[in-house]
Structure formats: C-alpha cells, structure tokens
Amino acid sequence: MSFWSRCILFSWIRFHSSSVNPKTKKKYPTLLVRYCQVAGFCFFLLVEYRKFWLPLYGYLLPSIEPIEAIHLHGSCARKVKEFCKHKGGLFVKLGQYASSLQNILPKEYLQELATLQDQAQEYPIQDLLQVLQTELGPFRGLLTDISETPIGCASIAQVHKANLVMSSTKVAIKIQKPNVQEQFADDLRMLQVVLSIYQTLKGGYEPIIWNIFVEFIKEIQQEMDFVKEMTNNRKLARCFQENYHIQVPRIFPRLCSRRVCTMEYIDGMNMDDCISLDKQTRYRIVQTLHEAFARMLFEGRFLHMDPHPGNIILQYPTDSQRFRMVFIDTGKCSSVDPAFIEKFANLILAIVLRDTQRLASLFPDTSYDGGELFASFFLGKKMARTWLNHSELVGRKYSIHDYLHIISSVHPQFVTVMRPFLVIRGISRKLGYPKDATNIYAPFAMQLAWKTWLRRLHQNYLETLNDRLGYETGINYSSDDSSKQVRLSQQMY
C-alpha cells in the first residue's frame, strides 16, 4: 500500500470512527469512496502547482512565466469547477464562497467559479412537497399553484413560485433540499481532513486558514436554519425602513420553519442583465448598491454577507422615481462590532482626504503595506501607489497569505466585512463604474466620526463635572447617573 493511500485511510479512521451514526452505516462505503475522490483531487492540484510550492523544483526552475501561470490557473480552475458541479452539495457552496474572494484568488478562478451560482442540482417537486408537508403540515389550504419548475436553485434549497389561498398574493417558497444537512455534515468532515493534510505538508499550523474554515462552517449553519434567515430579514428591513429605493422582501412567519421560508415574490431584473442599460442607469444602480452597503455597515451594523448578482433584484431600473433594489436570501448575515466600524470610518476618511499619516496610524504593525492594500480596495492599485508616494511598493505583488495576514492583523472583522465589499466592487467594475467609491461612503463615515466625537466630548464633560462636584461637595457622583449631574450643573449656574 502506498504512502498516500495509508494517509487517506488513517485520516478517515481517525476522524470518522468515533462519530459513526447507525443510520448511515449502509452508505458508509459510498462516503469512503467520495472521501478518497476528494483527497485524490486535492493531491492532483498539489502536483499541478508543484512549481509554486516545491523547493527543489523551484531551485531547478527559479521562475515561472506569467503566461504559463495564467494557462495553469485557467486549466485548474475549469477542473475545480467541474469537480464541484459533479460532487454537488457543499462543494458547490465552497466554490461559490471562493468566487467571492476577490483580490485573493487568481481572476481565472473567480471567473470560472462565479458560474456555480446558478448551476446547482435540481430536485423533483414531489420530494420538496414532502419536505413542505413535514414542516408546515397540511398546506393545501394555505398555498396553491406551486410551480413545478424552480425560479431559483442553490446548493441548499430551491425556490418555487406559489399563491396564497386567502389573498391570491404571489409568494416565493424557499424549501430546503432533502437530506442536505447530513450530506453537508459528511462533506465538512472531508474538508477538515483535507485541511489537516495540507497543514502537514506546509509544515505547521496556520490559524488564518482554520479561522476561514470555521467562518465558513458558521455561514453554512446559518444558511440551513431558515428561522435565522427570517430574523436576519427583519433586521435588514429596519436598516432600510426609511429608504424606498432599498428594500428586502416581506416574510410570512406563519409559513416559515427551519427548512421552509415563505416570502413576498419580487419580479424584476437580475444584476447581470444590467450591462445592456445606458451609462447613467448603470451608475445609479452601482451608487445605490454602495449606499445600501454603507447603510448596513454604519447605521444598521448588520451586513448581508452574500450580495452576489443572483441575490439582488432590480425593479424599474430605468425609472429613477420608482427604482427599487431588493436584497433576497438573507441567510448569511453578520453583526459588526462598533469599535471596528469606527476604525473603518477612519480608514474611509483617510482615503478621501489622502491623509497618509492617518492611514499609517491605522496600521501600526504593517506600516504602509496595510495602508496601500486597503487603499487599493477603493482606489485601485495604481492610484493608491500614486498618492501614497512610496516607491518601494511599485511592482509589489501580494500573495494569498499576505492578504490574509494583513487583513486579520488589523482587526478580525476586516475579513468578514471586506469579502462582501469586494463582491460589490466586482459588480461595480462589471457595470463600468469608476473604481473610487469612497465618495459614497464618506458622508456616512463623517457622520459616524462626528457622533463619536460628540459622544467622547460629552463623556469628558461628565468626568470633569464629576471631579468638580466631588471636589466641592466631597461626594463622588457616578458618571452613569448623568441625569443627576445635569440637574446639579443647572443648579450651580
């Protein structure tokens, strides 16, 4: 038996022998075959990229030509896409997740894996109706005219069009596919084993890789709980409750469960179909998209983590008065730490004001490297290097580990926030919008900075007043009891 076969079988026994479910014993040989196929494909990719990671090979061939690298990335990206489509389930979701890592993965992978957004396997309507019956009970008196052909199909669920019996309102029913939770659990174990082997080959434990894997698992768990999606929908709705042009679909709670979610049916244009529109309309769409992200971040502190074109529906795009942008599929959302939002606002202001000193102060550990990296997210690499005026950075290329290290070293939530932002920036570029979007974020950042300054000024005033009253009266007033301090201050003056 070869060395790699022993590694595969040992890791399978190590990670799976302690968690065998009696219900899955019959399909255990199938899982073993699936696991070996995944491990074999990962080993194939390592062999294909041997020039990049094998020291001896790199010594014999000290450099790889750019044309050769582009050809290698394109060839492997196509094979990865076909492998994900063939395996389905979690691997389609993993490919979709990877397609959002712009500025990290080569563009050949981003282009190929982006096509996985609408290439998930469809399940027959009879299987989904059984899930609907199990979750909602007798539903024939509530729903009618359920379409046999799905209007949307993802790796976890399918969306079918229907009507409410009582009001004839058109709704979209999101139904989780049968046995998807068990399949995803098995595939997650496979990924854990593959990452363990990769870490061993790299010669050590890399916390950044495991942090991304843990974040990916959390997102999968959130997406599988449609009750959580209903909660996220309500939070996002509060973010846009005073904005007519940005909305989320209305949810019907009585027709929702952990595996079923019924929402308002939204008919409109997909974001990918906007390329044919005129320049002014496309610019308005992009500006509204960035404004929505800014409102979620600075006002709601709650982000839609999967804003790919399939999750954004446009209604009346050519009419500036009736135009609406609707965000669907709120399964992946994340709350944002207020301390991080304050730091992100300072980053936006530093980029807008071209303040290199403020930018460098935000990244004390990474100096100008981090400043250039984050400025390039908004301005593009050439413009960022121009106004930073740091000649040593000209021609600098960041690897995947450089990006992950710089981003995570500043604040853990930078990885969380920058991923959806890079997706939005990719949409902006596709629609021909200029790269600098900081002017859209600047008013929100300035408003937050102003409120932060006023809050700190108020706290300093209360502390000063507390010290003064305590010195004159000998009583120490708590800074929390602000109303008592205000009344005392009014009596003094």
Side-chain angles (χ1 to χ4, degrees), residues 279-291:
K279 180 179 178 181
Q280 183 178 2
T281 302
R282 286 187 281 113
Y283 279 19
R284 183 176 67 250
I285 292 172
V286 172
Q287 290 171 356
T288 305
L289 180 60
H290 282 286
E291 180 188 348

Side-chain angles (χ1 to χ4, degrees), residues 149-169:
T149 303
I151 59 177
C153 183
S155 56
I156 294 178
Q158 286 182 197
V159 181
H160 289 258
K161 187 178 176 182
N163 291 331
L164 295 181
V165 174
M166 300 300 294
S167 60
S168 298
T169 303

Side-chain angles (χ1 to χ4, degrees), residues 180-198:
V180 68
Q181 296 189 9
E182 293 81 2
Q183 183 182 8
F184 272 47
D186 294 332
D187 289 343
L188 282 174
R189 294 192 188 98
M190 294 183 194
L191 281 180
Q192 185 179 6
V193 173
V194 170
L195 284 178
S196 300
I197 297 176
Y198 170 77

Side-chain angles (χ1 to χ4, degrees), residues 360-456:
S361 65
L362 296 174
F363 308 95
D365 298 331
T366 56
S367 185
Y368 279 96
D369 289 353
E372 182 211 3
L373 176 62
F374 284 95
S376 66
F377 284 152
F378 293 90
L379 307 175
K381 293 181 180 179
K382 292 183 179 179
M383 190 181 299
R385 288 168 180 166
T386 299
W387 71 264
L388 280 172
N389 194 21
H390 203 255
S391 58
E392 296 180 3
L393 296 177
V394 177
R396 170 73 181 273
K397 292 184 178 180
Y398 293 103
S399 65
I400 295 178
H401 293 285
D402 291 334
Y403 275 108
L404 297 177
H405 174 71
I406 293 176
I407 292 175
S408 60
S409 63
V410 176
H411 194 284
Q413 284 201 329
F414 259 117
V415 179
T416 304
V417 172
M418 294 310 296
R419 206 179 83 237
F421 173 78
L422 290 175
V423 175
I424 293 175
R425 199 190 71 167
I427 298 175
S428 304
R429 289 185 174 183
K430 186 181 295 185
L431 297 181
Y433 190 78
K435 297 180 181 179
D436 186 3
T438 51
N439 292 330
I440 304 175
Y441 294 85
F444 296 93
M446 182 65 70
Q447 184 179 11
L448 178 64
W450 177 251
K451 290 181 179 179
T452 303
W453 182 79
L454 289 178
R455 185 175 65 254
R456 291 178 178 175

